[in-house]
Amino acid sequence: MAICMPRIIQAKKILKRSFSNGCSTSTTMNIPKGHFAVYVGEQEKKRFVVHVSLLSQPTFQELLNQAEEEVGYNHSMGGLTIPCNEDVFTDVASHLGAL
């Protein structure tokens, strides 16, 4: 089983950029070490805090690729935003043990 390191590195860069682009200190303090926040939803966004191990999962990487193709990564929320159905995200994250 191979892990695609370039995608993981890309995802980490996106997270760093997200935190430097407007996440307040109080928002980032609510995130335990080894986790990150992601905003999910098509219209209203819901915040999820998930473990970084999710970044190495091909299914999650596919969600990231779809998000990049649809809307890019520069969002007003200041964090990583995935514009998919919330149920789809919770199913994927739960299946991967990230929630």
Side-chain angles (χ1 to χ4, degrees):
M1 178 174 147
I3 297 176
C4 187
M5 292 305 286
R7 286 189 179 171
I8 294 171
I9 293 168
Q10 178 187 14
K12 286 182 180 181
K13 286 180 183 177
I14 292 163
L15 289 173
K16 284 182 185 178
R17 195 173 1 160
S18 295
F19 288 132
S20 66
N21 285 342
C23 277
S24 69
T25 305
S26 61
T27 302
T28 57
M29 291 177 89
N30 297 359
I31 303 171
K33 188 170 184 154
H35 292 73
F36 65 98
V38 61
Y39 296 90
V40 178
E42 294 169 332
Q43 293 177 350
E44 277 198 38
K45 308 292 187 236
K46 182 174 178 182
R47 182 177 184 251
F48 291 88
V49 176
V50 295
H51 195 268
V52 296
S53 63
L54 193 64
L55 295 172
S56 66
Q57 300 298 321
T59 309
F60 186 73
Q61 290 175 8
E62 182 60 33
L63 285 177
L64 289 177
N65 288 336
Q66 289 175 3
E68 181 182 30
E69 289 175 11
E70 288 180 30
V71 293
Y73 288 117
N74 190 12
H75 295 281
S76 61
M77 299 291 292
L80 180 59
T81 303
I82 299 177
C84 74
N85 184 295
E86 190 179 315
D87 292 333
V88 170
F89 178 80
T90 55
D91 286 347
V92 168
S94 295
H95 177 71
L96 298 172
L99 290 180

